[in-house]
Amino acid sequence: MPPVRPMLAKSVARIPPGMQYEAKWDGFRAIVFRDGDEVELGSRTGKPLTRYFPELVEAVKANAPERCVLDGEIVIALHGRLDFDALTERIHPADSRVRQLAERTPASFVAFDVLALDGTDLTGTPLVERRRALVGALAPASPPVHLAPSTTDVDLARDWFTRYEGAGLDGVIAKPLTIPYRQNERSMFKVKHERTADCVLAGFRFHKSGPVVGSLLLGLYAPGGGLQHVGVCAAFPMKRREELISELEPLRMESAQGHPWAQWADEAAHEAARLPGAQSRWTGKKDLSWVPLRPDRVVEVAYDHMEKGQRFRHTAQFRRWRPDREPASCTYEQLEEPVHFDLAEVLGARDRRPRTDPGLS
């Protein structure tokens, strides 16, 4: 019965050998509960997602076993690749808007584990047995319910890591073959893409704990010449946060007047440029104010990938200052674009295993 907390993964630098491998989906993690006509979609934190994806409720009834609990990812695909922005638009208070989007940009569910089936609790059984049960349970399923492709071939997993990014996927998940399902424990491994970019440091926000740096605001120059807000880097030890206050003092501006993001508080200005501080249903009443800095310093950051080629999908990681770079040289042109790969081919891969692996035949 819900809520169930999903099993998690810890980050590693390389794909480990001797495991089951799957693509890392960039969507909403969800535990799906079905008992006849009753269907519930639970989020990673245990909160219900059911009302935001009414089309998936019907899809689960049509494609999942009568009684089951499935672990997977809710995704939306547009133009052959995953679109996280379209997914976040679903978290809307108006039921009419949710149903309108359900018709316009329908979601899919990609299942990669099974926790219970026909009244049997499978969480204590090894992954290899759960995978076999999941494959059998979803054999007759059709879109928008999908069985996540998997393999035990590490070379194929490395190939997926490279090729699947073009379909909007986030990396590779490696799962030990004998592990039971461990709620809220980091028992799996994830390998994500990492690249570096030189960005303009244009401001910072204070940390919630007090007058130390919370996050650095990053910008890149667009082809038209404007400085676009592309994200933040925020993972610093507390001592370093204190040091940054003094280090950045010479760059502080008395106000945002004359700053490239001077219009950040004007809601209409966000339609023409990427600026920090836009309120959304995610931020609510959160204080989004920031301290403007003269955009004279360049910082190198590590990132996994860009969302729609416009901003960092996740928080970037500080690497080093770049005094040898001019801010004007920090443009979108430096960013590496993954080769396009159609998501339909990823979902069509299904189960791929070496013929010599009798345990997964």
Side-chain angles (χ1 to χ4, degrees), residues 171-190:
V172 165
I173 295 289
K175 302 179 178 180
L177 297 171
T178 59
I179 58 169
Y181 194 92
R182 296 169 177 160
Q183 289 191 47
N184 207 35
E185 292 186 18
R186 296 191 179 276
S187 301
M188 306 180 294
F189 305 93
K190 58 184 177 183

Side-chain angles (χ1 to χ4, degrees), residues 138-211:
L138 294 185
S142 60
V145 173
H146 302 270
L147 172 66
S150 78
T151 184
T152 55
D153 184 340
V154 69
D155 291 328
L156 180 56
R158 295 186 183 111
D159 179 59
W160 285 358
F161 182 79
T162 302
R163 290 191 302 133
Y164 282 7
E165 188 186 9
L169 279 79
D170 215 10
V172 165
I173 295 289
K175 302 179 178 180
L177 297 171
T178 59
I179 58 169
Y181 194 92
R182 296 169 177 160
Q183 289 191 47
N184 207 35
E185 292 186 18
R186 296 191 179 276
S187 301
M188 306 180 294
F189 305 93
K190 58 184 177 183
V191 186
K192 300 179 66 174
H193 299 276
E194 180 178 287
R195 300 175 174 84
T196 60
D198 294 328
C199 298
V200 179
L201 173 62
F204 71 86
R205 289 194 177 101
F206 285 107
H207 195 265
K208 60 183 179 181
S209 66

Side-chain angles (χ1 to χ4, degrees), residues 8 11 173 204 215 242 270 273 317:
L8 305 176
S11 293
I173 295 289
F204 71 86
S215 60
E242 297 171 354
H270 290 264
Q317 303 298 311

Side-chain angles (χ1 to χ4, degrees), residues 41-194:
L41 312 178
S43 73
R44 172 172 169 167
T45 60
K47 296 180 179 179
L49 291 169
T50 314
R51 69 173 296 268
Y52 303 117
F53 299 96
E55 76 276 31
L56 288 186
V57 172
E58 298 306 316
V60 168
K61 291 180 184 179
N63 292 280
E66 185 82 6
R67 299 186 69 208
C68 65
V69 181
L70 305 175
D71 185 5
E73 201 97 357
I74 298 174
V75 299
I76 291 180
L78 295 175
H79 311 298
R81 61 179 290 122
L82 300 183
D83 191 316
F84 193 79
D85 278 353
L87 197 63
T88 60
E89 289 177 3
R90 288 298 193 86
I91 311 303
H92 198 282
D95 184 68
S96 59
R97 176 62 173 166
V98 169
R99 293 191 174 278
Q100 181 186 57
L101 291 173
E103 293 183 6
R104 183 186 304 170
T105 54
S108 298
F109 178 70
V110 183
F112 43 67
D113 210 335
V114 56
L115 283 64
L117 187 62
D118 296 329
T120 301
D121 180 359
L122 299 177
T123 56
T125 62
L127 170 68
V128 63
E129 295 181 21
R130 299 200 310 276
R131 179 68 193 188
R132 188 178 296 117
L134 178 66
V135 171
L138 294 185
S142 60
V145 173
H146 302 270
L147 172 66
S150 78
T151 184
T152 55
D153 184 340
V154 69
D155 291 328
L156 180 56
R158 295 186 183 111
D159 179 59
W160 285 358
F161 182 79
T162 302
R163 290 191 302 133
Y164 282 7
E165 188 186 9
L169 279 79
D170 215 10
V172 165
I173 295 289
K175 302 179 178 180
L177 297 171
T178 59
I179 58 169
Y181 194 92
R182 296 169 177 160
Q183 289 191 47
N184 207 35
E185 292 186 18
R186 296 191 179 276
S187 301
M188 306 180 294
F189 305 93
K190 58 184 177 183
V191 186
K192 300 179 66 174
H193 299 276
E194 180 178 287

Side-chain angles (χ1 to χ4, degrees), residues 279-329:
Q279 294 284 350
S280 73
R281 55 186 172 275
W282 298 103
T283 55
K285 297 181 179 179
K286 181 180 179 181
D287 182 10
L288 297 176
S289 60
W290 54 284
V291 177
L293 300 175
R294 292 198 319 274
D296 297 341
R297 180 176 288 198
V298 176
V299 56
E300 180 183 321
V301 298
Y303 69 97
D304 45 18
H305 68 275
M306 302 290 289
E307 183 69 27
K308 293 187 175 179
Q310 297 178 334
R311 68 181 188 276
F312 298 133
R313 170 69 179 84
H314 302 104
T315 302
Q317 303 298 311
F318 180 91
R319 287 294 177 259
R320 56 177 174 157
W321 299 116
R322 291 297 304 268
D324 57 319
R325 290 291 302 267
E326 290 294 325
S329 69

